[in-house]
Structures are given as structure tokens and as C-alpha cells.
Amino acid sequence: MHSEQLSANGVSPMPHGYALMTNPALNKGTCFSERERDALGLRGLLPPRAFSLEEQMRRALGNMRRKPDALEKYIFLTTLQTRNETLFYRLLQDNIEETMPLVYTPTVGQACLEYGSIFRRPRGLFISLREKGRVAEVLRNWPIADVRMIVVTDGERILGLGDLGALGMGIPVGKLSLYTACAGVHPSYCLPITIDVGTDNEKLLDDPFYIGLQQKRVRGAEYDELLREFVEAVKTVYPKALLQWEDFGNTNAFRLLEENRKNLLSFNDDIQGTAAVAIGGLIASLRLTGKRLTDQRLLFLGAGEAGTGIGELFTAAAQKAGLSEADARACCWYVDSQGLVVKNRPGKPLAHHKLPFAHDHAPVATLAEAVEAVKPTALIGVSGMPRTFTEQIIRRMGELNKRPVIFALSNPTSRAECTAEDAYKWTEGRAIFASGSPFDPVTIDGKTHHPGQGNNVYIFPGVGLGALACGAREVTDRMFLAAAETLAGQVTQADLDLGRVYPALTKIRDVSAKIAAAVAEEAHRENLATTPRPADIEADIKAKMYEPAYREFE
């Protein structure tokens, strides 16, 4: 987190000359001063005029904006990241509303689909079945010895796009860029990892240029052995690291989280991060609906990691608000591919994670019928099934509720259950809408509505920062509830007046710092912190946040 730690963080001794300019962590490009050019062997290797970081950023921003489409802008930014990290992060941080959709959703979805063809330079570690028995050795190949933040995927469930195998590396890379830009985690601490156990995507298996293992995805004992070895290697090689599980399939995601959350500082963003951002938005929406949390009836389309994760965190929040666990769970209803999730539903048995939300009710086949049966106050989409919130369903939500809450959270934009325009148009502008990827403002009857973006970027960077800052031994569900409540508390009346239940992205670093402080406070409360409690936790965290600025070389 501290910029001065870079040279003492396992990086090779200070390079000179051309080697210095090829080191993205140290390169300043045309910003090297006259004195530095002489002292570091750069004379003649750069054009004579020196520019400031601000001037470099304006030029880079102009170059990015001239690119013809979002994917070309993504390529430009990732190339800049591998050339000059400081400039890259300054550009992101100062233009986060414009750049976040490029380095993450929705553009990162297209980037993952084309990751092999746009692959320029490796970033992060690929650990495949070929490295089984040698995972610790592979981790030590990374040039930084003191890794603190790892995002890992096996590529099985990338956003709403499915099994992309090794092409899923774009997700860990993008998430870690946001850890730095949005929460000030030093880039030298960050390590993206993809575990390649094959893919069941036939298109990739038939692609002669696919960059991963061209074999069917390995499951069962061989998969478990590799993952156990990976966890133990992380604990050995990077004992201070927090590990974020990302975009694993349902079967493995829940199991890996439960097996490892107490013996490895870790969390699953799809389960816990999505839950916190959704509950934060739901709590904020109460200021618009005038209702209480305990009055809510939630109907989810999708009963996987994200959906049941939200349900579990809602249960905790509703219990805190006074409901029993049984009554809190009774507020959450799910529709999956087989219809409404209920007890004694004919067909295959319910998955373990759905059982706590299977209620006594007659089977219901469709989402529209479920809306009639449940009469929800909020409709939450986490299905990856685009345009499934139809006009009939949204209009019915508007009839049932003065201010219907409609969250279409699936990413990327192409997978959203409905658009912002749909939600507002079919409810005469009364909907409280949020989505996982950004939508443009919508004007209905002369009033412009600014949809909130219920993206996990509001949660995971702050949670990770807070856990690292206090040396937490575990990331608990209480910490995610604290993060959700803190996020809701950052929504201003001005935000609500615009129609959004999330803060402006321009405030993301301050939001992340407050969430980090809440997480660290909870860690101290639960006796899970390993560092002394500072007098002012938030001030201490802000002092540790990385600011992208050039070093002055002696």
C-alpha cells in the first residue's frame, strides 16, 4: 500500500538505462528530469523535452479517446499498464467513470472472449495441470516476493459468458487494477492467477490459437488435489496474502469458500461481494420507498452463487433488524431454470446452497407466475439471462409497488435482465433501478433518471484493503454486512434525487476507505485483527493508500 515499499518489495536492484525504461513499475517515460537522465544513463534514449505526469496523462487520455471502439481502448490501456504503471493508474484514478467500463465490465467481457488474439505480454501467473506438484515453485517465479493481494479464477464461469478457460485471465487482471485505482492497494502487492484445468467450451477446444490447455475440464479428485496444493503453496510462499476467489463454477465456488475461509485469508467476490453491493443498494432504496428492511419480499431470478449469497446476507441484515432467521429467509424467493425453488419440487434434488430458501409452496413454472405468487417488493436478476425481465413482469412490479425495486445485476451489459430504459419506461419512471454494468441516463416525461451501477467495485476493493490494513486472520460475513451498511450510508440525498442508490463512482476511493475502516473495525471487534488498533482507523488506512505519483530518483 505504501509507494515507498516498492524498492524493498522483492524487486531487483535499481536498473539503469534502457532496462529502467522497460520496467513498468519504475518507468517515467518523458518525465525523467535532466539530472535523472544523466545519473541513470538515459541521455539520448529519450526525446529532449521533459513532460510532467499531468501532461503525460492528458496526452494518453487523448490517445485513448481516439481509439475507434471500447476493445481498442482496452488494448491501449493494458499496453500502457505494461509500459508505465504510474501513468496508467493516474489515468484510471482521475477518470474512473470513463475508464472503469473499459478495464472492467462491460468491456472486459469482450476482452476475455478475445484474450488469446489480443494477448501482447503475459501479466500474472498461469498455473495448469502440468504444474501439479510444482505449484510453490511456479509462485516463486513471480518477481515480487511480498505479494499481499491475489485474485484467482479457473475460468469456468466468467461473468455471464460461461466457461472461457485460460481466457478468463482478463478478470483477475481487471479486478486487481481496480484494487489499486479504487482502494490504493499498491500494484506491487497484486498478483493475478488463472488455474487452467481445461475447458468444456467446444469452440475453444477447436480453436488452433486457444492459449490454454486444449482438453476437457478436469473435475473430481485431480481438480481437488491441484486446488489444495495451490492453497498450501499460497500460504507458504505468500503468508501475508489475501486471496479472492473469482468466477468459479457453482459446484466449486461454495465448496472452496467453505473449505478455506478459516485457514486462508480469503473470500469469494461472486458470493459475498455481490451480496454486499446488492444489500447496500437495497438498504439505500428504503429511503425512497419509505419501507423497512423487514418489510421486503425479494424475488431472485437465478439461484447460484450471487443470488443465494445475497439471500444469506439479507438474512443476516434482517435478523439484525429484528426478524428471526426463519422469518428472514422467508423473505427470499428464487426462480431457477426449473421454476420457483420450493420444497418437494419434482425433478432433480435441489443443490445444497438452495435448500435454506426452499419454502412450502406449490411448484410454479415461470418468473411471471412467481411474481404473482410472491408479490415481491424487489426483483433481483443474477441469472446471466438477458431481457428476461419482460414488459409484462416489469409492469406487474409497478402495479404491486409504488416504487418497485428492479436490480438487473448480470454482467456484462449484454447479459442484463433488462435495460434501464425498460425499467423506467414500463413503470412510468417509478422504478428504483440498478445494474451490474453501466447504463446511460434515461428521460421519461421530462425527468432524467440516472441508474445506479450495483457493481462489486463498490465492495471488494474496500474489503480487501481493510483486511490487509489490520492484518485480519479471516474475512467474515459480518465484515461484508458492515461493508454493505457503510456503502448505503455513503448514498447522499443528491444521489437519491437523481434516482440512483449508489454513490457516484468519482467518490470511489473515499467510499473504499470508509468500507475498509468498517471492515477493520469489525475485525478488531471479532478479535481477528493482528495489528494494534489505531486511534483513527480511517485516517490510518488513508495514509496507507497508494497514490500514483513518480518517484524522485537520486
Side-chain angles (χ1 to χ4, degrees):
M1 286 171 282
H2 292 291
S3 57
E4 66 267 24
Q5 291 174 322
L6 181 60
S7 60
N9 200 23
V11 179
S12 301
M14 182 69 186
H16 279 54
Y18 189 77
L20 174 58
M21 293 194 302
T22 60
N23 185 318
L26 303 175
N27 182 30
K28 296 166 64 172
T30 56
C31 197
F32 284 108
S33 67
E34 292 290 309
R35 179 187 58 78
E36 289 172 326
R37 294 177 191 216
D38 285 331
L40 300 171
L42 299 173
R43 182 66 63 182
L45 297 178
L46 292 163
R49 181 179 170 186
F51 290 83
S52 68
L53 175 58
E54 289 70 25
E55 290 171 324
Q56 287 180 318
M57 187 184 71
R58 289 198 298 272
R59 179 169 55 198
L61 192 60
N63 289 337
M64 182 195 77
R65 287 170 175 167
R66 281 194 290 272
K67 298 299 179 183
D69 56 46
L71 185 61
E72 287 298 322
K73 292 176 181 179
Y74 172 92
I75 294 170
F76 172 85
L77 288 170
T78 55
T79 301
L80 178 60
Q81 186 178 19
T82 60
R83 177 170 56 85
N84 185 330
E85 278 188 349
T86 303
L87 179 55
F88 169 77
Y89 284 112
R90 175 55 64 186
L91 182 64
L92 256 62
Q93 184 175 313
D94 289 2
N95 303 275
I96 192 66
E97 287 185 305
E98 182 176 358
T99 58
M100 197 192 83
L102 299 173
V103 299
Y104 200 59
T105 56
T107 308
V108 74
Q110 188 63 33
C112 285
L113 289 171
E114 302 190 35
Y115 203 81
S117 61
I118 66 174
F119 186 81
R120 300 291 191 272
R121 188 174 172 184
R123 187 169 192 86
L125 290 175
F126 290 87
I127 299 174
S128 75
L129 289 167
R130 295 174 184 171
E131 284 72 58
K132 189 177 177 185
R134 304 168 55 195
V135 173
E137 176 188 337
V138 173
L139 292 181
R140 291 189 178 98
N141 285 339
W142 187 246
I144 308 295
D146 188 16
V147 168
R148 302 288 182 92
M149 184 66 65
I150 296 171
V151 177
V152 62
T153 186
D154 72 353
E156 186 174 6
R157 197 199 60 82
I158 297 298
L159 303 175
L161 302 173
D163 188 347
L164 298 185
L167 303 186
M169 178 59 101
I171 298 298
V173 169
K175 290 266 181 171
L176 287 166
S177 295
L178 297 179
Y179 263 113
T180 298
C182 300
V185 176
H186 197 286
S188 69
Y189 279 155
C190 298
L191 173 56
I193 296 178
T194 289
I195 295 178
D196 186 355
V197 295
T199 177
D200 291 335
N201 187 323
E202 294 293 343
K203 184 177 179 181
L204 296 182
L205 292 174
D206 294 337
D207 182 354
F209 299 111
Y210 173 57
I211 62 174
L213 293 179
Q214 286 189 292
Q215 65 175 61
K216 287 285 189 179
R217 184 173 285 275
V218 164
R219 304 184 186 277
E222 190 174 2
Y223 179 93
D224 292 345
E225 288 167 8
L226 178 62
L227 268 292
R228 279 195 293 269
E229 182 187 353
F230 169 70
V231 167
E232 292 304 313
V234 168
K235 290 164 63 176
T236 299
V237 180
Y238 302 126
K240 296 180 180 179
L242 183 153
L243 186 142
Q244 177 174 315
W245 303 99
E246 190 71 38
D247 286 359
F248 284 73
N250 287 343
T251 303
N252 293 317
F254 291 102
R255 185 169 54 85
L256 289 170
L257 175 63
E258 291 309 312
E259 287 177 1
N260 295 292
R261 63 188 306 174
K262 290 189 179 297
N263 73 342
L264 173 70
L265 184 65
S266 61
F267 66 88
N268 185 299
D269 186 46
D270 305 298
I271 299 172
Q272 297 162 291
T274 301
V277 78
I279 296 303
L282 189 65
I283 293 172
S285 76
L286 301 178
R287 292 159 62 187
L288 290 172
T289 64
K291 295 182 180 295
R292 300 172 300 173
L293 189 70
T294 52
D295 297 328
Q296 302 307 299
R297 290 186 306 282
L298 313 183
L299 179 60
F300 296 84
L301 180 62
E305 299 166 49
T308 56
I310 298 169
E312 292 292 347
L313 196 62
F314 174 86
T315 299
Q319 286 182 268
K320 186 176 178 181
L323 291 184
S324 67
E325 180 179 353
D327 287 342
R329 291 190 183 279
C331 296
C332 300
W333 294 77
Y334 291 82
V335 172
D336 62 11
S337 61
Q338 305 302 308
L340 193 65
V341 173
V342 294
K343 292 179 180 177
N344 302 316
R345 187 173 69 179
K348 63 182 181 180
L350 291 173
H352 176 74
H353 60 276
K354 300 179 186 180
L355 291 174
F357 300 102
H359 307 308
D360 286 313
H361 195 282
V364 170
T366 68
L367 178 62
E369 291 173 303
V371 169
E372 291 299 330
V374 175
K375 294 182 171 50
T377 58
L379 183 61
I380 301 174
V382 282
S383 66
M385 301 295 290
R387 309 307 289 265
T388 41
F389 291 175
T390 63
E391 180 175 0
Q392 173 197 353
I393 288 169
I394 291 175
R395 287 194 181 280
R396 184 57 178 148
M397 286 294 295
E399 292 169 358
L400 292 169
N401 302 278
K402 183 177 180 181
R403 298 296 306 272
V405 174
I406 298 173
F407 287 180
L409 299 180
S410 292
N411 287 316
T413 309
S414 62
R415 297 286 173 169
E417 286 78 10
C418 70
T419 67
E421 183 177 11
D422 291 341
Y424 293 127
K425 180 174 65 177
W426 294 332
T427 60
E428 301 81 38
R430 293 181 289 115
I432 300 170
F433 177 82
S435 55
S437 292
F439 281 99
D440 292 332
V442 177
T443 300
I444 302 288
D445 296 330
K447 182 178 180 180
T448 300
H449 305 265
H450 296 258
Q453 188 180 351
N455 192 289
N456 294 18
V457 72
Y458 282 111
I459 294 294
F460 70 81
V463 170
L465 175 64
L468 290 182
C470 69
R473 293 193 298 270
E474 181 184 344
V475 182
T476 66
D477 291 334
R478 290 192 187 95
M479 294 176 190
F480 279 99
L481 182 54
E485 293 170 340
T486 302
L487 175 61
Q490 295 306 298
V491 179
T492 66
Q493 186 59 48
D495 294 321
L496 296 173
D497 290 343
L498 290 172
R500 65 185 179 211
V501 289
Y502 294 100
L505 270 176
T506 52
K507 300 176 182 177
I508 188 63
R509 281 176 70 91
D510 189 54
V511 171
S512 294
K514 291 184 182 301
I515 287 175
V519 167
E521 186 72 68
E522 185 62 35
H524 284 286
R525 189 178 297 115
E526 296 183 58
N527 294 317
L528 291 172
T530 60
T531 62
R533 188 190 184 284
D536 188 330
I537 290 179
E538 186 177 340
D540 179 69
I541 284 172
K542 285 183 174 180
K544 293 176 178 177
M545 291 171 71
Y546 164 78
E547 285 286 345
Y550 286 135
R551 296 175 57 186
E552 291 295 323
F553 295 108
E554 299 296 332

